[in-house]
Amino acid sequence: MEDYLLVDGYNIIFAWPELKSLAETNLDAARLRLQDILCNYQGYKKCRVILVFDGYKVKGNPGEVQKYHNIHVIFTKEAETADQYIEKVTQEIGRTHHVRVATSDRLEQVIILGKGAVRLSARDLQKEIRETDDEIHKQHLERIPSRKNRLFDNVDPDLFQYLEDIRLNRKK
Protein backbone atom coordinates (compact mmCIF):
# COMPACT_ATOMS: atom_id res chain seq x y z
CA MET A 1 0.00 0.00 0.00
CA GLU A 2 1.43 3.33 -1.06
CA ASP A 3 1.63 6.28 1.34
CA TYR A 4 0.36 9.70 0.28
CA LEU A 5 0.83 13.06 1.93
CA LEU A 6 -1.56 15.78 0.78
CA VAL A 7 -0.56 19.27 1.90
CA ASP A 8 -2.77 22.37 1.99
CA GLY A 9 -0.09 24.76 0.76
CA TYR A 10 -1.32 28.18 1.85
CA ASN A 11 -2.54 26.80 5.16
CA ILE A 12 0.98 25.53 5.92
CA ILE A 13 2.71 28.67 4.62
CA PHE A 14 0.66 30.92 6.91
CA ALA A 15 1.00 28.55 9.88
CA TRP A 16 4.82 28.33 9.82
CA PRO A 17 6.43 31.57 11.03
CA GLU A 18 9.45 31.30 8.68
CA LEU A 19 7.26 30.86 5.60
CA LYS A 20 4.67 33.37 6.77
CA SER A 21 7.24 36.16 7.07
CA LEU A 22 8.66 35.23 3.67
CA ALA A 23 5.15 35.25 2.15
CA GLU A 24 4.53 38.75 3.45
CA THR A 25 7.24 40.05 1.13
CA ASN A 26 7.27 37.38 -1.60
CA LEU A 27 4.55 34.75 -1.86
CA ASP A 28 6.25 32.98 -4.79
CA ALA A 29 9.42 32.55 -2.72
CA ALA A 30 7.40 31.10 0.17
CA ARG A 31 5.73 28.61 -2.19
CA LEU A 32 9.10 27.58 -3.63
CA ARG A 33 10.61 27.21 -0.16
CA LEU A 34 7.75 24.93 0.92
CA GLN A 35 8.14 22.91 -2.29
CA ASP A 36 11.87 22.47 -1.61
CA ILE A 37 11.22 21.43 2.00
CA LEU A 38 8.67 18.84 0.85
CA CYS A 39 11.00 17.56 -1.88
CA ASN A 40 13.68 16.82 0.70
CA TYR A 41 11.12 15.18 2.96
CA GLN A 42 9.75 13.05 0.12
CA GLY A 43 13.21 11.98 -0.97
CA TYR A 44 13.86 10.48 2.43
CA LYS A 45 10.39 9.17 3.35
CA LYS A 46 9.54 7.87 -0.15
CA CYS A 47 5.85 8.75 0.10
CA ARG A 48 3.92 10.48 -2.66
CA VAL A 49 3.57 14.18 -1.87
CA ILE A 50 0.81 16.27 -3.38
CA LEU A 51 1.01 19.97 -2.52
CA VAL A 52 -2.23 21.85 -3.19
CA PHE A 53 -2.60 25.62 -3.58
CA ASP A 54 -5.89 27.48 -3.92
CA GLY A 55 -6.52 28.94 -7.35
CA TYR A 56 -10.24 29.41 -6.89
CA LYS A 57 -10.15 33.24 -6.82
CA VAL A 58 -8.41 33.54 -10.18
CA LYS A 59 -10.98 34.26 -12.91
CA GLY A 60 -10.95 31.73 -15.73
CA ASN A 61 -8.28 29.62 -13.99
CA PRO A 62 -8.39 26.10 -15.49
CA GLY A 63 -6.19 24.73 -12.69
CA GLU A 64 -2.72 23.36 -13.15
CA VAL A 65 -0.74 20.27 -12.21
CA GLN A 66 3.03 20.57 -12.10
CA LYS A 67 5.77 18.11 -11.32
CA TYR A 68 8.34 19.86 -9.12
CA HIS A 69 11.32 17.54 -8.80
CA ASN A 70 9.82 14.57 -6.93
CA ILE A 71 6.48 16.02 -5.80
CA HIS A 72 3.25 17.08 -7.49
CA VAL A 73 2.06 20.66 -7.13
CA ILE A 74 -1.58 21.43 -7.82
CA PHE A 75 -3.13 24.85 -8.36
CA THR A 76 -6.88 24.33 -8.14
CA LYS A 77 -9.22 25.63 -10.81
CA GLU A 78 -11.55 28.58 -10.49
CA ALA A 79 -14.24 28.02 -7.85
CA GLU A 80 -12.38 25.02 -6.35
CA THR A 81 -10.59 25.40 -3.03
CA ALA A 82 -7.61 23.39 -1.88
CA ASP A 83 -9.91 21.84 0.75
CA GLN A 84 -12.36 20.64 -1.92
CA TYR A 85 -9.55 19.19 -4.01
CA ILE A 86 -8.00 17.42 -1.01
CA GLU A 87 -11.39 15.99 0.01
CA LYS A 88 -11.99 14.68 -3.53
CA VAL A 89 -8.55 13.08 -3.83
CA THR A 90 -8.75 11.62 -0.32
CA GLN A 91 -12.06 10.00 -1.17
CA GLU A 92 -10.66 8.58 -4.44
CA ILE A 93 -7.41 7.13 -3.11
CA GLY A 94 -8.22 6.68 0.58
CA ARG A 95 -9.76 3.25 0.10
CA THR A 96 -6.66 1.70 -1.43
CA HIS A 97 -3.79 3.82 -0.06
CA HIS A 98 -2.63 5.22 3.25
CA VAL A 99 -3.40 8.95 3.10
CA ARG A 100 -2.27 11.70 5.46
CA VAL A 101 -3.45 15.28 5.09
CA ALA A 102 -1.47 18.23 6.45
CA THR A 103 -3.69 21.19 7.32
CA SER A 104 -4.60 23.16 10.41
CA ASP A 105 -8.09 23.88 9.09
CA ARG A 106 -10.28 22.26 11.77
CA LEU A 107 -13.29 21.66 9.52
CA GLU A 108 -11.06 20.09 6.89
CA GLN A 109 -9.50 17.82 9.51
CA VAL A 110 -12.93 16.51 10.53
CA ILE A 111 -13.96 15.91 6.91
CA ILE A 112 -10.79 14.03 5.94
CA LEU A 113 -10.98 11.90 9.08
CA GLY A 114 -14.45 10.86 7.91
CA LYS A 115 -12.95 9.81 4.57
CA GLY A 116 -10.39 7.53 6.22
CA ALA A 117 -7.31 9.75 6.10
CA VAL A 118 -5.00 10.63 8.95
CA ARG A 119 -4.78 14.29 9.85
CA LEU A 120 -1.57 16.15 10.48
CA SER A 121 -1.62 19.72 11.78
CA ALA A 122 0.81 22.29 10.40
CA ARG A 123 2.76 22.07 13.66
CA ASP A 124 2.86 18.26 13.47
CA LEU A 125 4.13 18.38 9.89
CA GLN A 126 6.81 20.91 10.80
CA LYS A 127 7.92 18.74 13.74
CA GLU A 128 8.03 15.64 11.53
CA ILE A 129 10.06 17.46 8.88
CA ARG A 130 12.54 18.71 11.50
CA GLU A 131 12.91 15.19 12.89
CA THR A 132 13.43 13.87 9.37
CA ASP A 133 16.09 16.52 8.70
CA ASP A 134 17.87 15.54 11.93
CA GLU A 135 17.69 11.89 10.94
CA ILE A 136 19.11 12.66 7.48
CA HIS A 137 21.91 14.62 9.09
CA LYS A 138 22.77 11.82 11.53
CA GLN A 139 22.38 8.98 9.05
CA HIS A 140 24.19 10.52 6.11
CA LEU A 141 25.93 13.81 6.62
CA GLU A 142 27.74 12.89 9.83
CA ARG A 143 29.17 9.79 8.18
CA ILE A 144 31.11 11.86 5.68
CA PRO A 145 34.71 12.24 6.88
CA SER A 146 35.45 15.75 8.04
CA ARG A 147 38.91 15.87 6.45
CA LYS A 148 39.14 17.49 3.10
CA ASN A 149 39.11 15.09 0.21
CA ARG A 150 41.84 16.34 -2.08
CA LEU A 151 42.71 14.86 -5.42
CA PHE A 152 46.22 13.83 -4.36
CA ASP A 153 45.19 12.25 -1.04
CA ASN A 154 44.37 8.97 -2.78
CA VAL A 155 46.62 8.95 -5.84
CA ASP A 156 49.36 6.42 -6.53
CA PRO A 157 52.71 7.71 -5.14
CA ASP A 158 54.53 7.25 -8.48
CA LEU A 159 51.85 9.24 -10.30
CA PHE A 160 51.99 11.90 -7.61
CA GLN A 161 55.77 12.23 -8.04
CA TYR A 162 55.43 12.38 -11.83
CA LEU A 163 52.84 15.16 -11.63
CA GLU A 164 54.87 17.01 -9.01
CA ASP A 165 57.90 16.89 -11.32
CA ILE A 166 55.82 18.39 -14.13
CA ARG A 167 54.44 21.07 -11.82
CA LEU A 168 57.90 22.07 -10.64
CA ASN A 169 59.32 21.77 -14.15
CA ARG A 170 61.86 19.14 -13.10
CA LYS A 171 63.38 17.01 -15.83
CA LYS A 172 63.81 13.30 -15.43
Side-chain angles (χ1 to χ4, degrees), residues 31-41 68-69 71:
R31 278 194 300 257
L32 282 173
R33 179 72 185 120
L34 178 57
Q35 289 173 158
D36 288 338
I37 289 168
L38 292 173
C39 283
N40 288 340
Y41 175 82
Y68 183 79
H69 302 298
I71 67 171

Side-chain angles (χ1 to χ4, degrees), residues 33-52:
R33 179 72 185 120
L34 178 57
Q35 289 173 158
D36 288 338
I37 289 168
L38 292 173
C39 283
N40 288 340
Y41 175 82
Q42 189 285 330
Y44 190 74
K45 291 293 190 173
K46 304 297 183 208
C47 59
R48 290 192 181 251
V49 175
I50 302 172
L51 175 59
V52 184

Side-chain angles (χ1 to χ4, degrees), residues 61-72:
N61 181 12
E64 185 178 357
V65 177
Q66 300 174 351
K67 182 102 164 109
Y68 183 79
H69 302 298
N70 54 346
I71 67 171
H72 289 88

Side-chain angles (χ1 to χ4, degrees), residues 6 8 11-12 15 83 86-87 90 99-125:
L6 288 108
D8 184 338
N11 186 278
I12 298 299
D83 292 348
I86 289 169
E87 290 167 24
T90 300
V99 178
R100 296 183 315 143
V101 176
T103 182
S104 287
D105 181 321
R106 298 265 187 228
L107 179 58
E108 182 66 11
Q109 289 177 347
V110 170
I111 292 169
I112 59 102
L113 283 171
K115 296 186 184 302
V118 175
R119 70 176 173 84
L120 204 59
S121 71
R123 182 181 298 154
D124 292 337
L125 178 63

Side-chain angles (χ1 to χ4, degrees), residues 131-147:
E131 289 169 355
T132 300
D133 287 346
D134 290 345
E135 196 174 316
I136 290 168
H137 187 77
K138 286 177 188 161
Q139 293 280 328
H140 301 285
L141 299 179
E142 288 179 4
R143 290 184 179 182
I144 297 170
S146 61
R147 70 180 180 93

